[in-house]
Amino acid sequence: MFIDEHGTHCAVGYLMARSGREDLARRIHRTRNLATIAALANDGELCRWLDSVGLSAVEAAMIQPSYGGRPYDAQDNTEDAYAATTIAATGVNGGLIAWNLLTTRTGSSVVPGVLGVTAGFAQTMVGVIGGAIENRGEHHVESPHVATNFVVGTVSAALGMRSLLHARRARRMETAARCTGTTWSLAAWSPHVADAGIRFGLRF
């Protein structure tokens, strides 16, 4: 790792600190501690530091030792898995958001509301997990993905809750309408042949 739990720098991290860029070493430690130089090749600040000390990325990779424990592939896989989960969850909740917006004023079904609340809460929890991963610094996930999970999940859950409340009101109104309606009936009535007649009924 770039800086271990005892504060010991790897070879490249040590060179950074000795050249006056301890802040850069600490930033990499916080965000991508298990990354190799090859994996950090798109880090603009790191590239500028390499240029300033006269090293190429290939030379720095040769200086950097291999890390024990979990390889960077595990970190890379975590980032990819989190991104895929974010895309899938956003697709599901995007559809539920549209469904709840369309049915809020017209339907009394609780299905879209229940699904919106459930899926929205689940995506919000994915955002919480992503934030925890970032804070620990053991793996790297993109901050926009974390924010997307929070925002989309919260909106979906909120609209789902609104749909549930609307469905509840709609059902109450339907029940009230049935209870207060007036009905009447007209039918032949003949308990005995001699007493044949017509029966009229009125119900409030």
Side-chain angles (χ1 to χ4, degrees), residues 34-72:
L34 296 179
T36 62
I37 294 299
L40 293 167
N42 61 346
D43 189 312
E45 190 176 9
L46 173 64
C47 292
R48 288 191 292 274
W49 173 79
L50 288 173
D51 289 339
S52 71
V53 296
L55 287 174
S56 67
V58 173
E59 291 169 334
M62 293 173 64
I63 295 171
Q64 186 181 42
S66 60
Y67 297 146
R70 291 168 297 175
Y72 178 70

PDB file of all heavy atoms in Angstrom, residues 34-72:
ATOM      1  N   LEU A  34      -4.220   1.446  -2.325  1.00  0.00           N
ATOM      2  CA  LEU A  34      -3.678   0.214  -2.895  1.00  0.00           C
ATOM      3  C   LEU A  34      -3.367   0.338  -4.377  1.00  0.00           C
ATOM      4  O   LEU A  34      -3.016  -0.644  -5.027  1.00  0.00           O
ATOM      5  CB  LEU A  34      -4.661  -0.942  -2.672  1.00  0.00           C
ATOM      6  CG  LEU A  34      -4.921  -1.325  -1.210  1.00  0.00           C
ATOM      7  CD1 LEU A  34      -5.923  -2.457  -1.135  1.00  0.00           C
ATOM      8  CD2 LEU A  34      -3.620  -1.717  -0.525  1.00  0.00           C
ATOM      9  N   ALA A  35      -3.488   1.533  -4.930  1.00  0.00           N
ATOM     10  CA  ALA A  35      -3.266   1.721  -6.363  1.00  0.00           C
ATOM     11  C   ALA A  35      -1.779   1.651  -6.702  1.00  0.00           C
ATOM     12  O   ALA A  35      -0.923   2.096  -5.947  1.00  0.00           O
ATOM     13  CB  ALA A  35      -3.836   3.063  -6.812  1.00  0.00           C
ATOM     14  N   THR A  36      -1.496   1.062  -7.867  1.00  0.00           N
ATOM     15  CA  THR A  36      -0.133   1.076  -8.384  1.00  0.00           C
ATOM     16  C   THR A  36       0.072   2.355  -9.201  1.00  0.00           C
ATOM     17  O   THR A  36      -0.891   3.048  -9.539  1.00  0.00           O
ATOM     18  CB  THR A  36       0.112  -0.148  -9.277  1.00  0.00           C
ATOM     19  OG1 THR A  36      -0.804  -0.082 -10.400  1.00  0.00           O
ATOM     20  CG2 THR A  36      -0.127  -1.451  -8.508  1.00  0.00           C
ATOM     21  N   ILE A  37       1.316   2.642  -9.542  1.00  0.00           N
ATOM     22  CA  ILE A  37       1.597   3.822 -10.371  1.00  0.00           C
ATOM     23  C   ILE A  37       0.887   3.695 -11.716  1.00  0.00           C
ATOM     24  O   ILE A  37       0.350   4.671 -12.247  1.00  0.00           O
ATOM     25  CB  ILE A  37       3.115   3.997 -10.558  1.00  0.00           C
ATOM     26  CG1 ILE A  37       3.779   4.339  -9.221  1.00  0.00           C
ATOM     27  CG2 ILE A  37       3.412   5.093 -11.585  1.00  0.00           C
ATOM     28  CD1 ILE A  37       3.294   5.626  -8.590  1.00  0.00           C
ATOM     29  N   ALA A  38       0.854   2.482 -12.268  1.00  0.00           N
ATOM     30  CA  ALA A  38       0.175   2.285 -13.554  1.00  0.00           C
ATOM     31  C   ALA A  38      -1.306   2.631 -13.441  1.00  0.00           C
ATOM     32  O   ALA A  38      -1.896   3.230 -14.349  1.00  0.00           O
ATOM     33  CB  ALA A  38       0.344   0.843 -14.014  1.00  0.00           C
ATOM     34  N   ALA A  39      -1.917   2.271 -12.321  1.00  0.00           N
ATOM     35  CA  ALA A  39      -3.339   2.566 -12.122  1.00  0.00           C
ATOM     36  C   ALA A  39      -3.585   4.050 -11.883  1.00  0.00           C
ATOM     37  O   ALA A  39      -4.692   4.540 -12.084  1.00  0.00           O
ATOM     38  CB  ALA A  39      -3.881   1.754 -10.955  1.00  0.00           C
ATOM     39  N   LEU A  40      -2.539   4.773 -11.451  1.00  0.00           N
ATOM     40  CA  LEU A  40      -2.663   6.203 -11.175  1.00  0.00           C
ATOM     41  C   LEU A  40      -2.201   7.069 -12.346  1.00  0.00           C
ATOM     42  O   LEU A  40      -2.034   8.266 -12.194  1.00  0.00           O
ATOM     43  CB  LEU A  40      -1.843   6.565  -9.931  1.00  0.00           C
ATOM     44  CG  LEU A  40      -2.337   5.987  -8.604  1.00  0.00           C
ATOM     45  CD1 LEU A  40      -1.278   6.144  -7.518  1.00  0.00           C
ATOM     46  CD2 LEU A  40      -3.629   6.668  -8.166  1.00  0.00           C
ATOM     47  N   ALA A  41      -2.024   6.432 -13.497  1.00  0.00           N
ATOM     48  CA  ALA A  41      -1.464   7.157 -14.641  1.00  0.00           C
ATOM     49  C   ALA A  41      -2.339   8.326 -15.084  1.00  0.00           C
ATOM     50  O   ALA A  41      -1.852   9.269 -15.716  1.00  0.00           O
ATOM     51  CB  ALA A  41      -1.248   6.189 -15.811  1.00  0.00           C
ATOM     52  N   ASN A  42      -3.638   8.298 -14.758  1.00  0.00           N
ATOM     53  CA  ASN A  42      -4.534   9.393 -15.154  1.00  0.00           C
ATOM     54  C   ASN A  42      -4.652  10.472 -14.078  1.00  0.00           C
ATOM     55  O   ASN A  42      -5.469  11.379 -14.203  1.00  0.00           O
ATOM     56  CB  ASN A  42      -5.918   8.838 -15.493  1.00  0.00           C
ATOM     57  CG  ASN A  42      -6.560   8.147 -14.304  1.00  0.00           C
ATOM     58  OD1 ASN A  42      -5.884   7.861 -13.318  1.00  0.00           O
ATOM     59  ND2 ASN A  42      -7.848   7.859 -14.406  1.00  0.00           N
ATOM     60  N   ASP A  43      -3.852  10.364 -13.033  1.00  0.00           N
ATOM     61  CA  ASP A  43      -3.868  11.365 -11.960  1.00  0.00           C
ATOM     62  C   ASP A  43      -2.969  12.526 -12.375  1.00  0.00           C
ATOM     63  O   ASP A  43      -1.742  12.420 -12.382  1.00  0.00           O
ATOM     64  CB  ASP A  43      -3.369  10.722 -10.659  1.00  0.00           C
ATOM     65  CG  ASP A  43      -3.550  11.629  -9.451  1.00  0.00           C
ATOM     66  OD1 ASP A  43      -3.174  12.819  -9.542  1.00  0.00           O
ATOM     67  OD2 ASP A  43      -4.061  11.160  -8.418  1.00  0.00           O
ATOM     68  N   GLY A  44      -3.595  13.648 -12.720  1.00  0.00           N
ATOM     69  CA  GLY A  44      -2.835  14.790 -13.234  1.00  0.00           C
ATOM     70  C   GLY A  44      -1.798  15.323 -12.268  1.00  0.00           C
ATOM     71  O   GLY A  44      -0.676  15.674 -12.653  1.00  0.00           O
ATOM     72  N   GLU A  45      -2.142  15.391 -10.987  1.00  0.00           N
ATOM     73  CA  GLU A  45      -1.210  15.913  -9.985  1.00  0.00           C
ATOM     74  C   GLU A  45       0.003  15.005  -9.842  1.00  0.00           C
ATOM     75  O   GLU A  45       1.138  15.472  -9.720  1.00  0.00           O
ATOM     76  CB  GLU A  45      -1.923  16.065  -8.647  1.00  0.00           C
ATOM     77  CG  GLU A  45      -1.114  16.825  -7.600  1.00  0.00           C
ATOM     78  CD  GLU A  45      -1.882  17.045  -6.313  1.00  0.00           C
ATOM     79  OE1 GLU A  45      -2.967  16.463  -6.164  1.00  0.00           O
ATOM     80  OE2 GLU A  45      -1.381  17.809  -5.454  1.00  0.00           O
ATOM     81  N   LEU A  46      -0.229  13.704  -9.888  1.00  0.00           N
ATOM     82  CA  LEU A  46       0.892  12.760  -9.818  1.00  0.00           C
ATOM     83  C   LEU A  46       1.792  12.895 -11.033  1.00  0.00           C
ATOM     84  O   LEU A  46       3.027  12.893 -10.908  1.00  0.00           O
ATOM     85  CB  LEU A  46       0.355  11.329  -9.720  1.00  0.00           C
ATOM     86  CG  LEU A  46       1.411  10.217  -9.808  1.00  0.00           C
ATOM     87  CD1 LEU A  46       2.377  10.299  -8.636  1.00  0.00           C
ATOM     88  CD2 LEU A  46       0.743   8.850  -9.863  1.00  0.00           C
ATOM     89  N   CYS A  47       1.186  13.019 -12.210  1.00  0.00           N
ATOM     90  CA  CYS A  47       1.981  13.173 -13.434  1.00  0.00           C
ATOM     91  C   CYS A  47       2.841  14.431 -13.394  1.00  0.00           C
ATOM     92  O   CYS A  47       4.006  14.424 -13.817  1.00  0.00           O
ATOM     93  CB  CYS A  47       1.062  13.190 -14.654  1.00  0.00           C
ATOM     94  SG  CYS A  47       0.252  11.605 -14.988  1.00  0.00           S
ATOM     95  N   ARG A  48       2.277  15.511 -12.866  1.00  0.00           N
ATOM     96  CA  ARG A  48       3.063  16.756 -12.765  1.00  0.00           C
ATOM     97  C   ARG A  48       4.227  16.586 -11.782  1.00  0.00           C
ATOM     98  O   ARG A  48       5.320  17.111 -11.995  1.00  0.00           O
ATOM     99  CB  ARG A  48       2.160  17.915 -12.336  1.00  0.00           C
ATOM    100  CG  ARG A  48       1.203  18.373 -13.420  1.00  0.00           C
ATOM    101  CD  ARG A  48       0.515  19.684 -13.053  1.00  0.00           C
ATOM    102  NE  ARG A  48      -0.402  19.510 -11.931  1.00  0.00           N
ATOM    103  CZ  ARG A  48      -1.668  19.122 -12.056  1.00  0.00           C
ATOM    104  NH1 ARG A  48      -2.159  18.841 -13.254  1.00  0.00           N
ATOM    105  NH2 ARG A  48      -2.446  19.008 -10.995  1.00  0.00           N
ATOM    106  N   TRP A  49       3.986  15.837 -10.712  1.00  0.00           N
ATOM    107  CA  TRP A  49       5.075  15.609  -9.760  1.00  0.00           C
ATOM    108  C   TRP A  49       6.176  14.767 -10.394  1.00  0.00           C
ATOM    109  O   TRP A  49       7.371  15.043 -10.219  1.00  0.00           O
ATOM    110  CB  TRP A  49       4.543  14.907  -8.511  1.00  0.00           C
ATOM    111  CG  TRP A  49       5.660  14.502  -7.587  1.00  0.00           C
ATOM    112  CD1 TRP A  49       6.340  15.312  -6.715  1.00  0.00           C
ATOM    113  CD2 TRP A  49       6.262  13.210  -7.472  1.00  0.00           C
ATOM    114  NE1 TRP A  49       7.332  14.606  -6.065  1.00  0.00           N
ATOM    115  CE2 TRP A  49       7.301  13.308  -6.516  1.00  0.00           C
ATOM    116  CE3 TRP A  49       6.032  11.990  -8.087  1.00  0.00           C
ATOM    117  CZ2 TRP A  49       8.100  12.229  -6.164  1.00  0.00           C
ATOM    118  CZ3 TRP A  49       6.828  10.909  -7.739  1.00  0.00           C
ATOM    119  CH2 TRP A  49       7.845  11.024  -6.794  1.00  0.00           C
ATOM    120  N   LEU A  50       5.803  13.736 -11.155  1.00  0.00           N
ATOM    121  CA  LEU A  50       6.797  12.899 -11.825  1.00  0.00           C
ATOM    122  C   LEU A  50       7.650  13.743 -12.772  1.00  0.00           C
ATOM    123  O   LEU A  50       8.882  13.588 -12.823  1.00  0.00           O
ATOM    124  CB  LEU A  50       6.103  11.773 -12.600  1.00  0.00           C
ATOM    125  CG  LEU A  50       5.482  10.652 -11.762  1.00  0.00           C
ATOM    126  CD1 LEU A  50       4.676   9.708 -12.640  1.00  0.00           C
ATOM    127  CD2 LEU A  50       6.564   9.880 -11.008  1.00  0.00           C
ATOM    128  N   ASP A  51       6.993  14.640 -13.516  1.00  0.00           N
ATOM    129  CA  ASP A  51       7.746  15.519 -14.420  1.00  0.00           C
ATOM    130  C   ASP A  51       8.699  16.413 -13.648  1.00  0.00           C
ATOM    131  O   ASP A  51       9.840  16.663 -14.076  1.00  0.00           O
ATOM    132  CB  ASP A  51       6.779  16.387 -15.236  1.00  0.00           C
ATOM    133  CG  ASP A  51       6.025  15.585 -16.286  1.00  0.00           C
ATOM    134  OD1 ASP A  51       6.506  14.495 -16.655  1.00  0.00           O
ATOM    135  OD2 ASP A  51       4.956  16.051 -16.724  1.00  0.00           O
ATOM    136  N   SER A  52       8.246  16.880 -12.482  1.00  0.00           N
ATOM    137  CA  SER A  52       9.080  17.815 -11.713  1.00  0.00           C
ATOM    138  C   SER A  52      10.328  17.153 -11.148  1.00  0.00           C
ATOM    139  O   SER A  52      11.343  17.820 -10.915  1.00  0.00           O
ATOM    140  CB  SER A  52       8.258  18.442 -10.571  1.00  0.00           C
ATOM    141  OG  SER A  52       7.997  17.473  -9.557  1.00  0.00           O
ATOM    142  N   VAL A  53      10.271  15.836 -10.915  1.00  0.00           N
ATOM    143  CA  VAL A  53      11.446  15.132 -10.364  1.00  0.00           C
ATOM    144  C   VAL A  53      12.186  14.345 -11.441  1.00  0.00           C
ATOM    145  O   VAL A  53      13.140  13.620 -11.144  1.00  0.00           O
ATOM    146  CB  VAL A  53      11.043  14.190  -9.212  1.00  0.00           C
ATOM    147  CG1 VAL A  53      10.489  14.987  -8.045  1.00  0.00           C
ATOM    148  CG2 VAL A  53      10.050  13.125  -9.678  1.00  0.00           C
ATOM    149  N   GLY A  54      11.748  14.482 -12.700  1.00  0.00           N
ATOM    150  CA  GLY A  54      12.456  13.847 -13.801  1.00  0.00           C
ATOM    151  C   GLY A  54      12.240  12.351 -13.924  1.00  0.00           C
ATOM    152  O   GLY A  54      13.136  11.634 -14.407  1.00  0.00           O
ATOM    153  N   LEU A  55      11.077  11.867 -13.517  1.00  0.00           N
ATOM    154  CA  LEU A  55      10.769  10.446 -13.627  1.00  0.00           C
ATOM    155  C   LEU A  55       9.610  10.234 -14.593  1.00  0.00           C
ATOM    156  O   LEU A  55       8.697  11.062 -14.673  1.00  0.00           O
ATOM    157  CB  LEU A  55      10.366   9.861 -12.265  1.00  0.00           C
ATOM    158  CG  LEU A  55      11.463   9.662 -11.217  1.00  0.00           C
ATOM    159  CD1 LEU A  55      10.840   9.226  -9.896  1.00  0.00           C
ATOM    160  CD2 LEU A  55      12.486   8.630 -11.695  1.00  0.00           C
ATOM    161  N   SER A  56       9.649   9.126 -15.311  1.00  0.00           N
ATOM    162  CA  SER A  56       8.504   8.736 -16.123  1.00  0.00           C
ATOM    163  C   SER A  56       7.638   7.794 -15.304  1.00  0.00           C
ATOM    164  O   SER A  56       8.071   7.261 -14.277  1.00  0.00           O
ATOM    165  CB  SER A  56       8.971   8.032 -17.405  1.00  0.00           C
ATOM    166  OG  SER A  56       9.571   6.773 -17.085  1.00  0.00           O
ATOM    167  N   ALA A  57       6.431   7.570 -15.774  1.00  0.00           N
ATOM    168  CA  ALA A  57       5.545   6.655 -15.060  1.00  0.00           C
ATOM    169  C   ALA A  57       6.126   5.241 -15.048  1.00  0.00           C
ATOM    170  O   ALA A  57       5.978   4.511 -14.067  1.00  0.00           O
ATOM    171  CB  ALA A  57       4.162   6.657 -15.715  1.00  0.00           C
ATOM    172  N   VAL A  58       6.778   4.867 -16.132  1.00  0.00           N
ATOM    173  CA  VAL A  58       7.387   3.532 -16.206  1.00  0.00           C
ATOM    174  C   VAL A  58       8.510   3.401 -15.177  1.00  0.00           C
ATOM    175  O   VAL A  58       8.609   2.389 -14.473  1.00  0.00           O
ATOM    176  CB  VAL A  58       7.930   3.267 -17.623  1.00  0.00           C
ATOM    177  CG1 VAL A  58       8.705   1.951 -17.668  1.00  0.00           C
ATOM    178  CG2 VAL A  58       6.786   3.242 -18.631  1.00  0.00           C
ATOM    179  N   GLU A  59       9.336   4.440 -15.059  1.00  0.00           N
ATOM    180  CA  GLU A  59      10.432   4.398 -14.079  1.00  0.00           C
ATOM    181  C   GLU A  59       9.892   4.368 -12.654  1.00  0.00           C
ATOM    182  O   GLU A  59      10.401   3.631 -11.798  1.00  0.00           O
ATOM    183  CB  GLU A  59      11.349   5.613 -14.278  1.00  0.00           C
ATOM    184  CG  GLU A  59      12.141   5.557 -15.571  1.00  0.00           C
ATOM    185  CD  GLU A  59      12.827   6.871 -15.890  1.00  0.00           C
ATOM    186  OE1 GLU A  59      12.329   7.924 -15.426  1.00  0.00           O
ATOM    187  OE2 GLU A  59      13.829   6.852 -16.600  1.00  0.00           O
ATOM    188  N   ALA A  60       8.841   5.156 -12.403  1.00  0.00           N
ATOM    189  CA  ALA A  60       8.259   5.162 -11.062  1.00  0.00           C
ATOM    190  C   ALA A  60       7.643   3.808 -10.738  1.00  0.00           C
ATOM    191  O   ALA A  60       7.727   3.325  -9.603  1.00  0.00           O
ATOM    192  CB  ALA A  60       7.195   6.250 -10.965  1.00  0.00           C
ATOM    193  N   ALA A  61       7.034   3.153 -11.747  1.00  0.00           N
ATOM    194  CA  ALA A  61       6.450   1.826 -11.524  1.00  0.00           C
ATOM    195  C   ALA A  61       7.526   0.805 -11.183  1.00  0.00           C
ATOM    196  O   ALA A  61       7.292  -0.118 -10.399  1.00  0.00           O
ATOM    197  CB  ALA A  61       5.667   1.392 -12.761  1.00  0.00           C
ATOM    198  N   MET A  62       8.724   0.981 -11.756  1.00  0.00           N
ATOM    199  CA  MET A  62       9.837   0.071 -11.451  1.00  0.00           C
ATOM    200  C   MET A  62      10.340   0.290 -10.025  1.00  0.00           C
ATOM    201  O   MET A  62      10.774  -0.641  -9.355  1.00  0.00           O
ATOM    202  CB  MET A  62      10.968   0.279 -12.454  1.00  0.00           C
ATOM    203  CG  MET A  62      10.606  -0.137 -13.878  1.00  0.00           C
ATOM    204  SD  MET A  62      11.887   0.301 -15.073  1.00  0.00           S
ATOM    205  CE  MET A  62      13.253  -0.707 -14.495  1.00  0.00           C
ATOM    206  N   ILE A  63      10.258   1.533  -9.548  1.00  0.00           N
ATOM    207  CA  ILE A  63      10.702   1.844  -8.184  1.00  0.00           C
ATOM    208  C   ILE A  63       9.700   1.316  -7.164  1.00  0.00           C
ATOM    209  O   ILE A  63      10.085   0.818  -6.105  1.00  0.00           O
ATOM    210  CB  ILE A  63      10.851   3.376  -8.012  1.00  0.00           C
ATOM    211  CG1 ILE A  63      11.972   3.895  -8.920  1.00  0.00           C
ATOM    212  CG2 ILE A  63      11.113   3.743  -6.556  1.00  0.00           C
ATOM    213  CD1 ILE A  63      12.037   5.407  -8.982  1.00  0.00           C
ATOM    214  N   GLN A  64       8.428   1.414  -7.510  1.00  0.00           N
ATOM    215  CA  GLN A  64       7.386   1.023  -6.558  1.00  0.00           C
ATOM    216  C   GLN A  64       7.364  -0.496  -6.384  1.00  0.00           C
ATOM    217  O   GLN A  64       7.266  -1.239  -7.345  1.00  0.00           O
ATOM    218  CB  GLN A  64       6.016   1.490  -7.069  1.00  0.00           C
ATOM    219  CG  GLN A  64       4.883   1.253  -6.080  1.00  0.00           C
ATOM    220  CD  GLN A  64       3.544   1.707  -6.645  1.00  0.00           C
ATOM    221  OE1 GLN A  64       3.250   1.459  -7.822  1.00  0.00           O
ATOM    222  NE2 GLN A  64       2.746   2.378  -5.835  1.00  0.00           N
ATOM    223  N   PRO A  65       7.432  -0.970  -5.153  1.00  0.00           N
ATOM    224  CA  PRO A  65       7.399  -2.424  -4.935  1.00  0.00           C
ATOM    225  C   PRO A  65       5.985  -2.953  -5.095  1.00  0.00           C
ATOM    226  O   PRO A  65       5.014  -2.193  -5.082  1.00  0.00           O
ATOM    227  CB  PRO A  65       7.857  -2.566  -3.481  1.00  0.00           C
ATOM    228  CG  PRO A  65       7.392  -1.303  -2.831  1.00  0.00           C
ATOM    229  CD  PRO A  65       7.547  -0.224  -3.886  1.00  0.00           C
ATOM    230  N   SER A  66       5.873  -4.250  -5.264  1.00  0.00           N
ATOM    231  CA  SER A  66       4.533  -4.848  -5.304  1.00  0.00           C
ATOM    232  C   SER A  66       3.960  -4.846  -3.900  1.00  0.00           C
ATOM    233  O   SER A  66       4.693  -4.948  -2.919  1.00  0.00           O
ATOM    234  CB  SER A  66       4.608  -6.282  -5.844  1.00  0.00           C
ATOM    235  OG  SER A  66       5.445  -7.065  -5.004  1.00  0.00           O
ATOM    236  N   TYR A  67       2.639  -4.721  -3.800  1.00  0.00           N
ATOM    237  CA  TYR A  67       1.987  -4.668  -2.503  1.00  0.00           C
ATOM    238  C   TYR A  67       1.603  -6.071  -2.049  1.00  0.00           C
ATOM    239  O   TYR A  67       1.178  -6.904  -2.837  1.00  0.00           O
ATOM    240  CB  TYR A  67       0.710  -3.814  -2.566  1.00  0.00           C
ATOM    241  CG  TYR A  67       0.939  -2.362  -2.912  1.00  0.00           C
ATOM    242  CD1 TYR A  67       0.010  -1.662  -3.660  1.00  0.00           C
ATOM    243  CD2 TYR A  67       2.097  -1.702  -2.487  1.00  0.00           C
ATOM    244  CE1 TYR A  67       0.212  -0.328  -3.973  1.00  0.00           C
ATOM    245  CE2 TYR A  67       2.286  -0.369  -2.794  1.00  0.00           C
ATOM    246  CZ  TYR A  67       1.350   0.314  -3.539  1.00  0.00           C
ATOM    247  OH  TYR A  67       1.541   1.631  -3.845  1.00  0.00           O
ATOM    248  N   GLY A  68       1.729  -6.291  -0.776  1.00  0.00           N
ATOM    249  CA  GLY A  68       1.250  -7.544  -0.210  1.00  0.00           C
ATOM    250  C   GLY A  68      -0.233  -7.445   0.057  1.00  0.00           C
ATOM    251  O   GLY A  68      -0.843  -6.393  -0.051  1.00  0.00           O
ATOM    252  N   GLY A  69      -0.828  -8.555   0.434  1.00  0.00           N
ATOM    253  CA  GLY A  69      -2.261  -8.549   0.762  1.00  0.00           C
ATOM    254  C   GLY A  69      -3.091  -8.466  -0.494  1.00  0.00           C
ATOM    255  O   GLY A  69      -2.779  -9.070  -1.509  1.00  0.00           O
ATOM    256  N   ARG A  70      -4.125  -7.647  -0.475  1.00  0.00           N
ATOM    257  CA  ARG A  70      -5.048  -7.572  -1.583  1.00  0.00           C
ATOM    258  C   ARG A  70      -4.429  -6.850  -2.758  1.00  0.00           C
ATOM    259  O   ARG A  70      -3.875  -5.771  -2.605  1.00  0.00           O
ATOM    260  CB  ARG A  70      -6.319  -6.826  -1.157  1.00  0.00           C
ATOM    261  CG  ARG A  70      -7.155  -7.580  -0.170  1.00  0.00           C
ATOM    262  CD  ARG A  70      -8.212  -6.680   0.423  1.00  0.00           C
ATOM    263  NE  ARG A  70      -7.604  -5.598   1.169  1.00  0.00           N
ATOM    264  CZ  ARG A  70      -8.295  -4.614   1.709  1.00  0.00           C
ATOM    265  NH1 ARG A  70      -9.581  -4.562   1.579  1.00  0.00           N
ATOM    266  NH2 ARG A  70      -7.680  -3.657   2.385  1.00  0.00           N
ATOM    267  N   PRO A  71      -4.483  -7.404  -3.957  1.00  0.00           N
ATOM    268  CA  PRO A  71      -3.949  -6.715  -5.129  1.00  0.00           C
ATOM    269  C   PRO A  71      -4.850  -5.566  -5.527  1.00  0.00           C
ATOM    270  O   PRO A  71      -6.007  -5.497  -5.123  1.00  0.00           O
ATOM    271  CB  PRO A  71      -3.956  -7.818  -6.206  1.00  0.00           C
ATOM    272  CG  PRO A  71      -5.072  -8.719  -5.798  1.00  0.00           C
ATOM    273  CD  PRO A  71      -5.058  -8.702  -4.273  1.00  0.00           C
ATOM    274  N   TYR A  72      -4.336  -4.734  -6.385  1.00  0.00           N
ATOM    275  CA  TYR A  72      -5.139  -3.598  -6.824  1.00  0.00           C
ATOM    276  C   TYR A  72      -6.363  -4.044  -7.624  1.00  0.00           C
ATOM    277  O   TYR A  72      -7.372  -3.364  -7.652  1.00  0.00           O
ATOM    278  CB  TYR A  72      -4.310  -2.629  -7.669  1.00  0.00           C
ATOM    279  CG  TYR A  72      -5.128  -1.478  -8.157  1.00  0.00           C
ATOM    280  CD1 TYR A  72      -5.574  -0.502  -7.270  1.00  0.00           C
ATOM    281  CD2 TYR A  72      -5.504  -1.399  -9.487  1.00  0.00           C
ATOM    282  CE1 TYR A  72      -6.366   0.547  -7.708  1.00  0.00           C
ATOM    283  CE2 TYR A  72      -6.294  -0.359  -9.928  1.00  0.00           C
ATOM    284  CZ  TYR A  72      -6.716   0.616  -9.032  1.00  0.00           C
ATOM    285  OH  TYR A  72      -7.496   1.630  -9.474  1.00  0.00           O
TER     286      TYR A  72
END
